[in-house]
Amino acid sequence: MENKEKKDIFESIWDFLASVKLAIFVLIILALSSIIGTIVEQKAEPAQNLALLSKFFGDSAAPTVYNIFAKLGFMDMYGSWWFTSFLVIFSVNLIVCSIDRFPKTWRIIKTPQKPLSANAIKSMPVKKELTFKVGLNTVKDEFLNVLKSSRYHVSEATEEGSVRLYTQKGRYARLAVYVVHLSIILIFIGAIIGIRYGFKGYLNLPEGSSSNVLYESPTKSIPLGFTVKCNWYETEYYDGSDTPKEFHSELVVIEDGREVLKKIIEVNDPLTYKGITFFQSNYGIMPNAVGQFAIDITPAGGQEKRLWLKFGDIFEIPGTGIRGRIHDFSPALTRDRNTGRLTSYSENMVNPAVAIEFMPPDGNSFTGWILKRYPETSKIPGGHSVKLGDYWGVEYTGLQVSKDPGVWLIYLASVLMCISLYICFFMSSKKIWIEITGDRKAVSVAVGGSTNRNRLNFESEIDRIVAHVSEAIEGRSKK
Amino acid sequence: MNSSLFFDISAGAYIAAMITYVIYLVLRNHTAGLVASGITIFGFVSQTIALVIRWINSYDFWMSSHPMSGVVEALLRAAPLRNLYESLIFFVWSLILAHILVEFKYKNRSLGAFVTPIAAMALLFIDISGTTKEIQPLIPALQSNWLLFHVLLSFLGYAAFGVSFGAAAAYLIVVTESKKEIPYIIGSVIISIFIIVLIGMGIDFLSLSSAERAQLIQSHFLKSTLRSESGGVAALSWVLSLAFVFAVWQVGLRLKSVLGSLNLTHTMLDEIEYKSIAVGFPLFTIGGLIMGAIWANSAWGKYWTWDPKETWSLITWFVYALYLHARFVGGWRGKRVAILSIIGFVAVIFTYLGVNLVLSGLHAYGSG
Ligand code: HEM
């Protein structure tokens, strides 16, 4: 800068935006304000936060505090104008700072390394001096050997009575921080693309029904551009417990009246079609729905056969004359511990069971509960088996539906960030200079080096190189 | 075979090691140092055996409910990182591993006196927080490889941050000249708070019935001391806590001469503090943030929802980013950055425990 006194406005704004002080300040602000958003329940019903606030500020002050907080945007903080502004400042800071520094780094990388004299080498951050009682060329060759085996490409400059060697490695590692920063910006861009051109919503699809829209809110629907149908939904439980093992739905994509894709989705394994992804998210029972029972019947020694039945339907176990009639259903059958009566302990189909009245030809009818999760309840006298396969048509599958055209950029940026962070922390840019002066009998050597990080490692690397050279020279003089 | 015997042996060993390291510091006795390292390695081996046994047991457990699974899938699903208990155990294991590596690299044992207490506190926390130790069936959202790698790498990162924290605490003691220095005050207050909370939880634990213990954090956290219904008990607890903070602040500096005589130089501590972050930061970025986001995206279609757990991970990340920039570009040195390392680890602990226990977010571990 020639004119130190008068920086113009543009320049001072630029310097401000490029400064690391600003970065530190913004990082602190972002960290502190994010904390607020984890304490105040975000996008919640006012009552929830009022209750929370009255714990801290008392019942009388809570509404006032609530209003102040709401004005400050704390109730939807991460979407508030000022939080967004800080994210923008953060990005601008990052970009300007990188642009500001990049040319200098690039110059460092691109400036060719020059040979240095012993005097200059002695002022290096890492240095070593030694002498040998052998000729100049011998020492030079040994250094070349050792450096080459450490994968340094060495250049040399020869003068009367001296040789200067110089080499560097990993100079492009200096670019890694820029890639780290770039990947942060790419992640922001990916997020913006997702918000701008994508959507997130949900869709509750009853078994057997289909939809060509999804919902962003109960009143706002978005067209899918095709039709998705749920064939069936099922919760699988761990044996003997009510811990869910997997949630499955069979989904079918229908376009122009034709089935184009069919998949059984589960948590962590969604269905994607035309950039829109359907995730298994929850499930539930539709009130007042009437479904159909899938009953699997196997007469003793015979073939299993599936029947679809409604309440009150009468069926026969083939070839036996035993007739049956479905007369009760429970989504979650249990025996009440106090009264001993059978009841349902959940609205959801945790433990579905049907009560079937069996009417053998001899007239001694009896009723049995058949539980889907307990196959042993399906055995009936005479060696026949009547299993409850499903009660279909009363559950819905809850799907998260999202389209995010920015996500590939985020993944790409993540990969970039992994690689560049690794390079940034574990690879360094190293330079080594050596001057060997002397004649055919005795030489003195100055070795020096500099690195942008991990100085201690670099020092031991130089030590190792020097030790190898000394060993090799000693080995030679013994021969 | 049951893993709990080996876990108990390792817990005992780490606590014995902590005591021996402190004895080593005080007596400066070479043999005590050797014994401390020996006990640590013994504990580590025992814990490794325990982890392997637990892995095998969970493998059988998984196979019994998923007989169609392939071996690789079953091994992944059974990896002992499935709930709060297992992840805490794994954290301790990684921390000790990191500590053993540092000890060998720097040929200096004294840091053990600062790292083993973190392990001992974590183990104590496991016991008094009432988290379940049973092998539990995995709910569907947790059946994901991304989640597994997410947890694995995050905890390796946390362990590195833990070592950095230990080094930063030792650093502060070594370089502080006077008790009135602000970084020293902040450091000693933070460390005292850790210990006070743990003691408070211990008292909760002892005063609860075994049925209530499972709910210790959710419903009884510090209710028998600092948050007691009875004003007198609460007031007394606060007075005692403040007295404790004061005592730690007073006594902490005495360690200075001890550390000085053990060749634990401030340059070495400063380097360990930074290098651990240099290892932890990429691990945490990749494992904690990126893989967490990928998992969320594959399970729910949202890679980022600003839920408290995610947000706290981000806060932690900001603190360590702050550390790196303050140190390398902002020109901060020594005590100021050591405080950032300490604050970073406080954020780690909050991300890891506070969110589930205090803020109880959406994440699955909250129920573990
Ligand atoms: C949370 C977001 C950020 C992350 C994860 C990040 C990451 C990094 C990393 C890993 C380094 C290398 C540190 C080292 O040498 O050990 C670095 C260096 C640096 N960062 Fe950032 N950074 C972030 C934000 C920023 C911002 C907002 C600025 C804006 C001024 C900035 C400016 C710099 C500068 C100037 C360097 C030094 C570059 C050099 O060595 O030439 N960073 N950053």
Side-chain angles (χ1 to χ4, degrees), chain A residues 17-24 26-27 89-98 101 105 174 176-178 180-181 184 417 420-421 424-425 452-453, chain B residues 274 278 281 285 314 317-318 321-322 324-325 328-329:
Chain A
L17 289 178
S19 74
V20 176
K21 284 222 176 72
L22 178 65
I24 291 177
V26 173
L27 279 174
I89 297 175
F90 175 84
S91 322
V92 170
N93 183 206
L94 193 51
I95 295 169
V96 173
C97 172
S98 300
R101 291 180 170 241
T105 309
R174 286 179 193 271
V177 285
Y178 293 94
V180 174
H181 291 156
I184 295 173
M417 189 185 286
S420 54
L421 274 178
C424 179
F425 284 110
N452 65 337
R453 58 172 58 242
Chain B
Y274 161 68
F281 190 77
T285 309
L314 189 69
W317 195 63
F318 282 157
L322 200 62
L324 293 172
H325 292 81
F328 282 97
V329 231

Side-chain angles (χ1 to χ4, degrees), chain A residues 209-326:
Chain A
S209 71
S210 52
S211 167
N212 53 15
V213 293
L214 69 130
Y215 296 89
E216 241 177 11
S217 69
T219 50
K220 181 160 188 262
S221 66
I222 302 175
L224 283 169
F226 52 85
T227 301
V228 59
K229 177 173 176 218
C230 170
N231 278 348
W232 48 261
Y233 167 80
E234 187 180 16
T235 312
E236 204 183 328
Y237 292 90
Y238 282 100
D239 280 346
S241 83
D242 291 342
T243 308
K245 179 170 158 185
E246 196 51 87
F247 309 117
H248 311 275
S249 318
E250 184 175 86
L251 299 186
V252 184
V253 175
I254 299 164
E255 216 172 10
D256 305 327
R258 270 187 319 122
E259 227 183 69
V260 288
L261 186 62
K262 181 153 125 182
K263 179 172 180 182
I264 297 174
I265 64 163
E266 46 184 61
V267 182
N268 285 311
D269 186 14
L271 171 141
T272 303
Y273 186 68
K274 293 208 164 154
I276 301 179
T277 308
F278 298 85
F279 296 88
Q280 182 70 61
S281 143
N282 59 344
Y283 67 95
I285 295 270
M286 288 173 298
N288 307 322
V290 178
Q292 292 185 40
F293 296 94
I295 305 286
D296 297 316
I297 299 175
T298 323
Q303 288 274 318
E304 182 176 282
K305 194 171 146 217
R306 170 162 284 200
L307 298 178
W308 288 95
L309 304 166
K310 296 205 227 14
F311 266 112
D313 279 358
I314 294 191
F315 62 92
E316 192 182 310
I317 303 178
T320 62
I322 303 177
R323 292 184 306 147
R325 187 174 64 91
I326 296 174

Side-chain angles (χ1 to χ4, degrees), chain A residues 20 23-24 27-28 30-31 34-35 38-39 78 83 87 90 101 181 184 190-191 200 238 243-247 267-270 279-280 400 402 404 407 410-411 414 417-418 421 425-426 453-454 456-457, chain B residues 62 65-66 105 137-144 271 274-275 278-279 281-282 285-286 290 293-295 297-303 306 308 311-312 315 317-318 321-322 324-326 328-330 332 359:
Chain A
V20 176
I24 291 177
L27 279 174
I28 293 176
L30 283 176
S34 299
I35 295 178
T38 64
I39 296 171
Y78 307 110
F83 194 80
L87 287 179
F90 175 84
R101 291 180 170 241
H181 291 156
I184 295 173
K200 299 209 175 347
Y238 282 100
T243 308
K245 179 170 158 185
E246 196 51 87
F247 309 117
V267 182
N268 285 311
D269 186 14
F279 296 88
Q280 182 70 61
Q400 291 271 1
S402 77
D404 194 334
V407 92
I410 296 207
Y411 283 1
S414 303
M417 189 185 286
C418 297
L421 274 178
F425 284 110
F426 300 108
R453 58 172 58 242
N454 277 335
L456 291 185
N457 282 1
Chain B
W62 173 267
S65 55
H66 297 79
K105 175 141 195 256
L138 270 191
I139 59 165
L142 303 187
Q143 298 172 19
S144 153
E271 188 184 310
Y274 161 68
K275 282 218 167 140
V279 171
F281 190 77
T285 309
I286 296 163
I290 296 180
I294 296 179
W295 170 55
N297 193 39
S298 68
W300 298 293
K302 295 171 184 169
Y303 50 82
W306 291 105
T311 309
W312 270 95
I315 293 168
W317 195 63
F318 282 157
L322 200 62
L324 293 172
H325 292 81
F328 282 97
V329 231
W332 291 23
L359 301 175

Side-chain angles (χ1 to χ4, degrees), chain B residues 88-365:
Chain B
L88 275 165
I89 291 282
F90 181 70
F91 167 73
V92 171
W93 184 86
S94 335
L95 185 70
I96 297 291
L97 174 66
H99 162 64
I100 292 175
L101 292 178
V102 169
E103 189 171 301
F104 272 85
K105 175 141 195 256
Y106 290 89
K107 314 255 181 308
N108 193 308
R109 297 209 155 81
S110 352
L111 199 61
F114 291 83
V115 175
T116 44
I118 307 175
M121 282 205 238
L123 289 168
L124 204 63
F125 178 86
I126 294 173
D127 261 335
I128 58 187
S129 65
T131 63
T132 176
K133 299 184 182 179
E134 300 291 310
I135 295 178
Q136 293 161 305
L138 270 191
I139 59 165
L142 303 187
Q143 298 172 19
S144 153
N145 292 342
W146 288 115
L147 173 66
L148 176 66
F149 297 129
H150 164 58
V151 178
L152 181 81
L153 295 181
S154 303
F155 283 102
L156 289 174
Y158 290 166
F161 292 148
V163 172
S164 176
F165 168 81
Y171 177 88
L172 274 185
I173 291 173
V174 170
V175 298
T176 297
E177 300 291 339
S178 133
K179 285 186 204 121
K180 301 219 171 68
E181 288 178 24
I182 306 255
Y184 173 73
I185 297 176
I186 299 177
S188 56
V189 169
I190 289 177
I191 289 166
S192 322
I193 292 175
F194 274 136
I195 300 171
I196 291 169
V197 169
L198 213 58
I199 294 176
M201 284 177 60
I203 299 173
D204 288 335
F205 181 76
L206 293 176
S207 62
L208 291 175
S209 70
S210 49
E212 288 167 326
R213 281 175 187 168
Q215 289 296 313
L216 191 151
I217 308 258
Q218 285 88 342
S219 341
H220 306 286
F221 186 62
L222 300 184
K223 279 274 166 64
S224 48
T225 48
L226 296 165
R227 299 173 63 210
S228 172
E229 311 265 295
S230 132
V233 175
L236 180 66
S237 313
W238 280 100
V239 170
L240 284 177
S241 303
L242 289 176
F244 182 78
V245 174
F246 184 76
V248 169
W249 170 68
Q250 279 284 328
V251 177
L253 259 199
R254 301 249 175 95
L255 281 174
K256 183 181 158 90
S257 59
V258 175
L259 294 177
S261 66
L262 283 167
N263 294 330
L264 204 57
T265 61
H266 66 92
T267 13
M268 184 193 286
L269 288 169
D270 188 54
E271 188 184 310
I272 296 174
E273 171 199 301
Y274 161 68
K275 282 218 167 140
S276 310
I277 291 179
V279 171
F281 190 77
L283 281 173
F284 180 64
T285 309
I286 296 163
L289 293 171
I290 296 180
M291 294 208 175
I294 296 179
W295 170 55
N297 193 39
S298 68
W300 298 293
K302 295 171 184 169
Y303 50 82
W304 195 261
T305 55
W306 291 105
D307 90 45
K309 190 100 184 171
E310 287 169 347
T311 309
W312 270 95
S313 309
L314 189 69
I315 293 168
T316 305
W317 195 63
F318 282 157
V319 176
Y320 286 107
L322 200 62
Y323 177 98
L324 293 172
H325 292 81
R327 184 179 180 120
F328 282 97
V329 231
W332 291 23
R333 284 278 172 273
K335 294 173 213 164
R336 281 217 253 168
V337 287
I339 285 296
L340 279 181
S341 163
I342 289 179
I343 293 177
F345 195 61
V346 172
V348 165
I349 292 181
F350 203 84
T351 307
Y352 178 16
L353 299 175
V355 174
N356 302 332
L357 308 175
V358 183
L359 301 175
S360 64
L362 294 166
H363 271 243
Y365 281 175

